[in-house]
């Protein structure tokens, strides 16, 4: 069994699950954090174990960031031992304008997308002494904000700042980087066509795949001189923010 232990938040489904499985192939034991997706979390744990690593899962509501962070790291260290990688993947993503955004929506976005990664990083740093890595899943909207998801975009901008700030505070022992995806998976309940309409807006004229993200996670984990970096995995969509490249 490998001694590399990771926590992946929101790791039961979608991009988080793909990251967990790719890390397991590279020998990482994984603690999957989940919110509602208990059945999928247990299924993912079984698949991780089939890859020959240790795996476990833990529920926690990231809308209660401080208690959730303690719960996740208590569970991970009990089941796996000290954790040397934290993937802050879980997030909420809802539409909203200045006019339509309620205080409840604002708070839910900031609790889950900014405060939770912060307090998870705090718990992580308390028990990780050397050679650790935090990877935050951001969004190109975090570096190039555009209207449409006003609370969400601001949380991702805050997560860019958090990444750069913690990279300075946690060096030299822990590296902190971010991945800023573009169109990778349609929001739950929506079809692939939602992304296809965006493909014309990026220079590579196509949507991405979860593999594009997992490849970047592995690149960052294997790049010990990179910290405080935000890697856009967006087909260049951020370069064209607010503009159409046409057909
Ligand atoms: N999909 C894309 O194309 C895309 C594009 C740009 C950026 N991103 C970023 O990449 C990351 C992964 O994307 P995704 O589309 O795979 O994410 P997602 O499906 O929207 O969310 C991932 C997981 O976050 C968990 N979560 C949300 N709120 C929670 C809460 N209060 N408590 C506990 N867990 C909570 C949910 O876990 P449960 O299901 O267990 O409740 C959910 O499955 C996100 O940070 C997202 O913002 C994705």
């Amino acid at each position: 069994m490998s001694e590399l232990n990771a926590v992946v938040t929101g790791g039961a489904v979608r991009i988080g699950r793909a990251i967990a499985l790719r890390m397991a192939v590279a020998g990482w034991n994984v603690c999957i954090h989940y919110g509602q997706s208990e059945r999928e979390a247990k299924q993912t744990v079984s698949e991780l174990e089939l890859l020959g690593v240790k795996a476990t899962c833990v529920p926690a509501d990231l809308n209660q960031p401080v208690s959730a962070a303690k719960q996740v790291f208590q569970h991970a260290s009990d089941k796996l031992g000290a954790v040397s990688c934290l993937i802050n993947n879980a997030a909420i993503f809802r539409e909203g304008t200045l006019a339509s955004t309620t205080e409840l929506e604002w708070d839910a976005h900031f609790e889950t997308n900014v405060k939770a990664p912060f307090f998870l990083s705090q718990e992580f740093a308390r028990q990780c002494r050397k050679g650790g890595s935090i990877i935050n899943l951001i969004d190109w909207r975090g570096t190039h904000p555009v209207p449409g998801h006003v609370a969400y975009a601001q949380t991702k901008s805050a997560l860019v700042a958090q990444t750069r700030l913690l990279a300075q505070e946690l060096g030299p022992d822990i590296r902190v980087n971010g991945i800023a995806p573009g169109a990778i998976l349609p929001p739950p309940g929506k079809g692939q066509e939602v992304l296809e309409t965006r493909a014309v807006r990026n220079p590579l004229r196509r949507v991405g795949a979860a593999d594009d993200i997992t490849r970047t996670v592995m690149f960052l984990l294997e790049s010990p001189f990179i910290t405080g970096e935000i890697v856009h995995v967006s087909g260049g969509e951020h370069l064209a923010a607010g503009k159409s490249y046409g057909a």
Side-chain angles (χ1 to χ4, degrees):
M1 285 287 183
S2 146
E3 292 310 312
L4 297 169
N5 300 323
V7 165
V8 180
T9 68
V13 293
R14 294 167 56 83
I15 291 175
R17 169 186 148 84
I19 292 171
L21 289 168
R22 180 63 188 84
M23 289 181 74
V25 169
W28 286 83
N29 304 313
V30 185
C31 173
I32 296 285
H33 152 272
Y34 66 95
Q36 304 294 319
S37 301
E38 181 177 9
R39 188 175 49 83
E40 293 87 346
K42 289 182 174 160
Q43 173 66 30
T44 303
V45 165
S46 301
E47 290 179 41
L48 291 165
E49 286 170 343
L50 284 175
L51 291 168
V53 298
K54 287 194 275 180
T56 184
C57 60
V58 56
D61 181 5
L62 299 183
N63 215 15
Q64 304 291 331
V66 176
S67 56
K70 287 191 192 310
Q71 210 172 316
V72 168
F73 275 92
Q74 188 64 57
H75 181 91
S77 58
D78 286 353
K79 298 288 179 185
L80 303 179
V83 174
S84 56
C85 176
L86 166 63
I87 309 282
N88 278 314
N89 166 79
I92 59 171
F93 170 67
R94 295 189 198 130
E95 288 177 13
T97 61
L98 174 64
S100 69
T101 301
T102 62
E103 186 179 7
L104 202 65
E105 275 296 288
W106 174 275
D107 287 346
H109 275 89
F110 274 81
E111 295 288 324
T112 304
N113 297 5
V114 184
K115 196 168 167 184
F118 182 84
F119 285 100
L120 283 156
S121 296
Q122 187 182 73
E123 286 299 322
F124 173 75
R126 280 187 177 135
Q127 53 84 70
C128 175
R129 292 283 167 258
K130 217 168 175 44
S133 203
I134 297 173
I135 299 178
N136 293 323
L137 270 289
I138 306 179
D139 190 304
W140 65 259
R141 294 171 180 87
T143 55
H144 296 71
V146 289
H149 300 82
V150 70
Y152 171 82
Q154 288 180 83
T155 65
K156 294 299 188 176
S157 295
L159 195 53
V160 169
Q162 190 180 120
T163 302
R164 292 176 175 153
L165 201 153
L166 294 189
Q168 297 170 72
E169 183 167 332
L170 295 178
D173 295 334
I174 297 173
R175 297 182 299 114
V176 188
N177 290 293
I179 297 174
I184 304 291
L185 293 180
K190 298 213 169 150
Q192 189 68 9
E193 66 282 358
V194 175
L195 300 188
E196 298 295 346
T197 58
R198 278 172 56 190
V200 294
R201 294 205 300 261
N202 79 49
L204 299 184
R205 305 289 200 279
R206 64 174 180 84
V207 299
D211 272 3
D212 292 302
I213 304 300
T214 63
R215 201 173 290 127
T216 311
V217 168
M218 297 317 299
F219 164 74
L220 288 171
L221 288 175
E222 290 160 8
S223 302
F225 203 46
I226 297 182
T227 196
E229 199 58 62
I230 311 297
V231 183
H232 290 87
V233 184
S234 68
E237 188 173 358
H238 58 293
L239 302 171
K243 164 183 171 192
S244 171
Y245 274 90

